[in-house]
Amino acid sequence: MKNAFKGIIFLFLILTFSISVAAVAGPKITAPTEDSWSNQPYLPTNWDAFTGAKGYSYIIDSSPDTIPDNESETEETFASIPSSISGKYYLHIKAILASGSSDTTHMKVNFDKENPEPPQNVTTVLEGSQVKISWDASTDEGGSGIDHYVLYRGPVKNFSIADLSTKVLSNKLKETSYIDSDIPNGAYFNYKLQAIDGAGNISRPSFEAGVTAPKVCQITVAIKFEKTNKNLKITVSSEGGP
């Protein structure tokens, strides 16, 4: 009986100790989002406040289950954490408590600090009163992949995308072709593109491709003669344009 009582007491102590050291879930990270891409030298990070936290410890590395040390990095619920070179990583955050620490929250984060290559082989083809611009897909060595393209049109050869006369035809192209239907007759235009990757890095402008829209006369001219005595009155009018 005495041994049974001791066993019950021992079991009770074990359960009490287990409950006292039971793991507490780590902070909930609200930014960045899971598996997101960044090109910044610091990663803006936010998490929900943790009840009883004296501070928070965090680290970014390539291991999925790293546990940060118990040294508090900040008492705030936000931080700009130094990022790493291009690649896939994990963000680890835990709360520092009076009795130890919480569990660690792990989140996949990725960095792409490489500018993508500009689009290649830009071509233009007249299709009636429209121009079809096509190009080869860009490549991205940083890992986030090409997200979209920006297409520019300039009125002169060797135009700059920063010129006031340059027009942005589209800044969210997902495909590798575009139809420009806003071409005045007889106008000469050049086109350039830039590629934007998933982390927001921007390529250099591509080489340009030009096209001249044919001149089409759509004016109807009417000439009217009126003879009055010895005078001849000639009236000329036009329709369809100046």
Side-chain angles (χ1 to χ4, degrees):
M1 184 69 179
K2 188 175 181 180
N3 288 336
F5 180 74
K6 287 182 178 180
I8 293 172
I9 295 297
F10 179 75
L11 180 60
F12 175 78
L13 292 175
I14 291 294
L15 290 174
T16 302
F17 178 76
S18 298
I19 292 173
S20 67
V21 298
V24 180
K28 179 182 179 182
I29 300 173
T30 56
T33 56
E34 179 78 19
D35 228 1
S36 59
W37 286 90
S38 172
N39 62 0
Q40 301 301 310
Y42 291 88
L43 182 67
T45 307
N46 298 79
W47 54 90
D48 288 344
F50 199 96
T51 302
K54 299 170 59 178
Y56 301 90
S57 181
Y58 53 75
I59 190 173
I60 289 177
D61 64 15
S62 57
S63 174
D65 52 8
T66 296
I67 306 298
D69 60 31
N70 286 335
E71 295 294 324
S72 175
E73 306 285 351
T74 181
E75 296 180 4
E76 306 292 342
T77 58
F78 57 88
S80 292
I81 304 176
S83 63
S84 300
I85 61 174
S86 296
K88 297 186 176 183
Y89 297 89
Y90 292 87
L91 168 64
H92 317 278
I93 297 179
K94 72 177 182 180
I96 307 301
L97 310 172
S99 58
S101 65
S102 72
D103 269 358
T104 299
T105 301
H106 309 281
M107 174 178 284
K108 292 181 180 179
V109 292
N110 311 298
F111 301 107
D112 180 353
K113 301 183 180 182
E114 308 295 328
N115 291 328
E117 291 298 315
Q120 301 294 318
N121 299 321
V122 183
T123 60
T124 56
V125 177
L126 276 171
E127 297 181 347
S129 60
Q130 301 177 331
V131 176
K132 181 178 182 180
I133 307 100
S134 304
W135 58 94
D136 291 345
S138 296
T139 57
D140 177 48
E141 298 296 331
S144 62
I146 301 302
D147 184 74
H148 64 278
Y149 300 93
V150 181
L151 176 62
Y152 304 91
R153 187 180 74 186
V156 296
K157 193 173 181 61
N158 298 319
F159 73 95
S160 168
I161 61 173
D163 290 342
L164 294 178
S165 58
T166 298
K167 181 177 181 180
V168 178
L169 293 182
S170 179
N171 59 5
K172 53 183 179 181
L173 286 171
K174 298 289 187 178
E175 305 297 331
T176 55
S177 64
Y178 180 86
I179 300 295
D180 185 5
S181 57
D182 183 24
I183 299 294
N185 295 326
Y188 176 74
F189 288 118
N190 280 282
Y191 300 89
K192 291 181 180 180
L193 293 122
Q194 284 183 299
I196 317 293
D197 68 19
N201 299 302
I202 306 174
S203 76
R204 303 185 310 276
S206 68
F207 290 112
E208 65 185 30
V211 67
T212 300
K215 295 181 179 180
V216 180
C217 182
Q218 296 177 330
I219 300 175
T220 300
V221 179
I223 304 176
K224 182 179 180 181
F225 298 91
E226 293 183 44
K227 185 175 182 302
T228 304
N229 297 326
K230 294 182 179 181
N231 298 320
L232 180 63
K233 181 181 179 180
I234 304 175
T235 303
V236 180
S237 61
S238 65
E239 294 181 357

